[in-house]
Amino acid sequence: MTPHGADSEVGRLQTVLLHRPGDELKRLTPRNNDKLLFDGIPWVARAQDEHDAFADALRARDVEVLYLTDLLTETLEQESSRHHAITTALSGLHLGDTLRSYLARALSDASPAELTSYLIAGIRNDEVRGGHGLVTALLDEHDFLVDPLPNLLFTRDSSVWVRDRVAITSLAMPARRRETQLTELIYTQHPRFAGTRTIHGWHHEHVEGGDVMLLAPGVIAVGVGERTTPAGVERLARQVFHADLATTVLAVPIAQERATMHLDTVATMVDVDKIVMYPNVADSLQAYAVTVDDPGTDEASLALDVADAEPFLVAAAKAMGIDTLEQIDTGLDPVTAEREQWDDGNNTLAIAPRVAVAYERNDGTNDRLEAAGIEVVRIAGSELGSGRGGPRCMSCPVSRAPLP
């Protein structure tokens, strides 16, 4: 078995965690898609076909593909894991004791595969056969008792491997918070990950994986914006420094907007010294280099040094120990750049140095990548992109070959 871990964004991808979209996407309606963070109602069958093609493209490059649903089902074969998952799913204050007790019994009787489906696709008020009382009477029949998790498609956000440890993240939006609880269950209870050490955690300050970029071994950039908070970056920095996983963390402020929700919506690495970047923010993107001033005696007493802000490309190259981090623009003109940034042109997944997966529709960006010597593996994403995410968002690298 390939050892788990990653120290860069571009080392040869060996194992990746994906989630094939399923019934949870069929729960999206015009009434709830905004709450569930989707910009439209995807054609689920087409989204599944596109995702299957994505997975096949990775396998064709000798990447092992793990599916989150399979891992979760295998994890739920353990009674302790089932109890934890059920208790967590029913912890919301909207249920009341009568309904919560009924659902706990019903879910306990479900098979591991059935329980996985309930936890991911959710349970609607009109689908329960018991537990009837004040709560079920007053809720609309279409209200969810257990919310579906359509954003589970974006496995990058709920966990990030930093060398040989996995960071369980803390998702900011209410519609996504339960995702990391399931991810944590897999990493702590599934036999494949026995002995894996974790950092951060869903109960800590908000950090989302789409904001975390492993620029080089020991150098981590973290976007700070709509989803990741300054306190979250500080917590993560303390943990990676204390565990000797990094020497520099770059805190990178980004606009708190839907179009730029994560750092990887404006920039992704495609080689050890090349980054594809949205040109409309390239000149204004800043970074604060965070290093250790005094290691202290424990994580809490570790003192951080925060440098003055510098242009991101300058700060990144300096921290990486290279002369220049080469910028590849998305599009040749402002309109094309804006269109292709919205369509996740910046959100590429490197599967090796100078080899990246990208949505086929972003012609301008892909042409510029190829002109810069990057091999582009094109995939369809007309339906997958309705949740605002590209190939990087849809993949959590579990194992990458170390860079020389």
Side-chain angles (χ1 to χ4, degrees), residues 224-287:
V224 185
E226 184 188 51
R227 306 294 180 87
T228 295
T229 64
V233 179
E234 179 180 320
R235 173 75 67 179
L236 182 63
R238 288 183 178 280
Q239 293 192 335
V240 297
F241 291 149
H242 182 66
D244 201 25
L245 301 173
T247 56
T248 304
V249 171
L250 299 178
V252 186
I254 57 177
Q256 298 191 33
E257 299 172 354
R258 175 73 168 155
T260 57
M261 72 180 84
H262 290 135
L263 181 60
D264 68 7
T265 64
V266 297
T268 47
M269 296 288 293
V270 291
D271 196 3
V272 293
D273 60 355
K274 293 181 177 64
I275 190 168
V276 57
M277 182 177 288
Y278 181 37
N280 293 11
V281 304
D283 292 338
S284 60
L285 204 62
Q286 299 281 299

Side-chain angles (χ1 to χ4, degrees), residues 182-194:
L182 297 181
T183 304
E184 181 182 64
L185 193 66
I186 291 170
Y187 285 129
T188 58
Q189 301 297 322
H190 193 282
R192 173 161 184 147
F193 300 106

Side-chain angles (χ1 to χ4, degrees), residues 150-220:
N151 294 280
L152 207 59
L153 170 66
F154 306 119
T155 56
R156 173 75 60 158
D157 290 332
S158 58
S159 64
V160 179
W161 286 83
V162 183
R163 296 198 168 170
D164 63 344
R165 302 196 189 188
V166 61
I168 307 298
T169 60
S170 172
L171 303 184
M173 308 303 280
R176 303 198 65 183
R177 288 175 188 165
R178 202 161 49 83
E179 293 176 38
T180 49
Q181 296 166 1
L182 297 181
T183 304
E184 181 182 64
L185 193 66
I186 291 170
Y187 285 129
T188 58
Q189 301 297 322
H190 193 282
R192 173 161 184 147
F193 300 106
T196 296
R197 292 180 292 179
T198 64
I199 56 175
H200 206 69
W202 58 267
H203 54 288
H204 278 312
E205 297 88 348
H206 296 315
V207 171
E208 300 203 355
D211 279 318
V212 180
M213 192 174 298
L214 308 180
L215 294 177
V219 182
I220 304 173

